[in-house]
Amino acid sequence: MSLTRRQFLVNSAIGLGASLALPQITNAAANFSDVKKFEPTWESLTGGYQTPEWFRDAKFGIWAHWSAQCQPEQGDWYARGMYQQGSAQNKFHLKNYGHPSKFGFMEIDNLWKAERWEPEKLMNLYKNAGAKYFVALANHHDNFDNYDSKYHQWNSVKVGPKKDLIGIWSKTARANGLRFGVSNHSAHSWHWFQTAYGYDAEGDLAGVRYDAATLTKADGKGKWWEGLDPQELYTGANLKIPDGIRGFKAVNEWHDKNDRVWNENPPPMNPEFTRTWFLRCQDLIDKYRPDLVYFDNTGLPLGQTGLDIAAHFYNASLKWNKGKLEAVINAKGMKPELRAALVEDIERGQSDKLRPQPWQTDTCIGSWHYNRDIFDKNRYKTVKQVVQTLVDIVSKNGNLLLSIPVRGNGTIDEREVEFLSGMTDWIKINGEAIYGTRPWKIFGEGPTEVKTGMFSEKDAKPFTAQDIRFTTKGEMLYALMMGIPDAETITIKSLAANSTGKIERVELLGTGNALVFTQAENGLTVTVPKQLPGNYVYSFKINGRGLTAS
């Protein structure tokens, strides 16, 4: 880093303050000269990054989106929702734990013990289900680090599980041959967690501020959190709601308007948050050397600071791998001209077209944080839904990162185990058509339209046997049929004699037997066996001459 750059960090709007000891930030990845170095600019990142082959080959990853917010088993965003009077999570909290002015989320951090966690057992399930990479949640918007954090005292080694969760996940994944990633959501904590500084708008305790607004480090003397500062966890009163608002709907509207907004900028009133965020993320990268870092952000987090950490990660990866860049960064909502800097992620959504650059969908079979109600009502995604989604994504040059919700105690439930077993059965037969493949000249054909964009999966329509998706590997072409046909034959129009190469053999994965087929001007017509191997999606392996030329 040049002197100019150092001075910029001191004086810029990211708020890294003159008191920052800059060498501890910058020197970790700068003491080598035999590899290309990335600068913390979009120009450098877009001009120098190329998605590593391991990620393009992997296609499918599993994610443990696991934190103390799973402990109550009440679904997503509990640490925010428990402070919003009238919400279902607030009502649950009052009934089971007490009022947030006396029993705040920091107490849930302490209740979270992960006492039944068996990472090796879980990793075997994930691996058997087809995962080639595993991602663990390093921190969420509740601002708690699930690792031995050097710069943040509220972490899983000091509080709650009393274990280095990321360290254990990392060793377990790599021992099982999986690539390892971490997800970092904490850049939003400074605004997302501000409900903890609020109050009830009505009732017996109307106007009484919640725990974050009153607790100091001195209050911990003689308690389980002695020596810890609650303000470090709750991030400080950055957007504190004013006194006197009445009616919980009005209070919740204030929060939705002021601190719910998905703000990617550094907090101007709290430069220390940005400074510490960088150090925490750098520590996470340097200590565990992940292959992938997922940011829950539209673009990179916290303005220039996100560019700083991206350049650091890429440079560190070059150093670890002797000049070979093996790092993947996921971020969302990327402008087209910036997508080349990383691997764009589409949360709970897909693409309607084949993308030239590798990309990723992340989704969950249920709620991101464990939700008992989804289990009780049997509302998880089915294996069929996930398999069809995976196939559609892979045909369009993407990967699927799938979260399997984990209970607070570290276990997954029996429906989730059954789901993973179903994935195992499918991948054993059809994995050849998924792993290590690349897109064909078109992604597929068929009547079912896929809506593009984030959070579009709720509008997904069921696929049919007329929906075909293509992948290629070497000289082989795979055509994946997304359902069971209602006739003895199926015709794939895209493989017509006048539009592609000459087909010489067709077999169905799982049988090893050649199938009867004809290739004519209307397409490739294949006689389908009466007994199909496996379920949901069926993979035709096709070879011949000139099939894979784009």
Side-chain angles (χ1 to χ4, degrees), residues 227 252 316 373 394 429 443 464 471:
N252 290 337
D373 188 61
V394 170
I429 295 173
F443 69 81
T464 70
T471 63

Side-chain angles (χ1 to χ4, degrees), residues 32 60 84 125 128 153 174 186 193 212 227 240 264-265 279 315 372 391 406 450 453 483 512 523 536 548:
F32 61 100
F60 181 49
Q84 295 186 281
L125 291 173
N128 290 339
Q153 297 299 298
R174 285 167 167 148
S186 61
F193 220 175
K240 188 175 180 181
E264 301 295 356
N265 297 314
L279 293 170
N315 286 329
R372 169 63 60 170
V391 169
V406 182
V450 175
Y536 319 125
T548 58

Side-chain angles (χ1 to χ4, degrees), residues 17 69 103 131 157 181 191 214 272 358 364 390 430 432 442 471-472 479 502 509 517 524 549:
Q69 290 184 83
F103 198 102
V157 174
H191 63 86
T214 62
E272 179 63 20
C364 182
L390 171 66
N430 300 281
E432 178 185 333
I442 60 173
T471 63
T472 65
K502 180 176 176 56
L509 294 185
F517 70 91
L524 172 69

